[in-house]
Amino acid sequence: MWMINPEHMCIQHILGEHRELHALMGSIERTKPGYKGFERHRNNIKALARDGYIELKSLKTRHEQLVGYLKNHNSPIEEVPTLEYIPKEVIEAEVNIEKSRKDLIDRPQACRPNGKCREKILNSENTR
């Protein structure tokens, strides 16, 4: 989750983040004991939260933001699955927006067209 205004993102990054949100929902579901590899999923989510990459409290809202930029969207996110098996620090974690901005600015080759996110983010900073 980048939590950057989707207006400042290229379609490639919007699609990528959208895909990551759905994958995260699956990982949350797989943290329950009884799922094969539940500890691995739990550890992955803890690492993502610690490093400022995910924000569970904003999953559904962020999904709705991204969907506004997608044509023919047909994969809604229902309510976030139970978080009872996820540590409190993960539930309360927030995305490191500055880290996300830097990531998009520093990797213009990942955008389609090249550098579109970088250009939009830098232009938005100049208009603040």
Side-chain angles (χ1 to χ4, degrees):
M1 291 176 56
W2 288 307
M3 301 300 281
I4 292 173
N5 185 338
E7 287 183 20
H8 302 150
M9 295 167 63
C10 69
I11 191 64
Q12 198 66 23
H13 281 116
I14 290 171
L15 288 168
E17 184 175 352
H18 179 259
R19 187 172 42 251
E20 289 171 3
L21 288 175
H22 283 280
L24 181 57
M25 290 291 285
S27 287
I28 292 169
E29 190 64 34
R30 290 180 195 91
T31 62
K32 297 176 184 174
Y35 276 92
K36 184 178 180 180
F38 74 93
E39 290 173 341
R40 180 176 40 101
H41 287 283
R42 210 176 289 167
N43 289 336
N44 287 342
I45 287 175
K46 285 176 16 181
L48 289 169
R50 180 194 64 232
D51 294 342
Y53 288 115
I54 61 173
E55 188 172 301
L56 299 184
K57 63 186 174 199
S58 301
L59 275 174
K60 193 167 174 71
T61 303
R62 182 58 174 177
H63 182 264
E64 294 307 314
Q65 288 175 342
L66 297 174
V67 164
Y69 293 84
L70 301 176
K71 295 178 182 174
N72 302 320
H73 178 266
N74 194 21
S75 58
I77 281 190
E78 304 302 327
E79 291 305 312
V80 176
T82 180
L83 302 176
E84 67 185 291
Y85 300 107
I86 297 179
K88 185 178 179 182
E89 66 270 15
V90 174
I91 294 169
E92 295 174 354
E94 295 183 356
V95 167
N96 182 330
I97 295 173
E98 192 56 39
K99 187 178 194 177
S100 297
R101 286 178 63 262
K102 183 172 177 6
D103 183 47
L104 289 178
I105 288 170
D106 289 350
R107 296 185 314 126
Q109 71 281 4
C111 294
R112 296 217 175 105
N114 278 359
K116 195 68 170 171
C117 292
R118 181 180 197 280
E119 178 184 314
K120 287 181 175 182
I121 291 168
L122 292 174
N123 285 339
S124 72
E125 289 175 354
N126 294 331
T127 59
R128 283 187 197 170

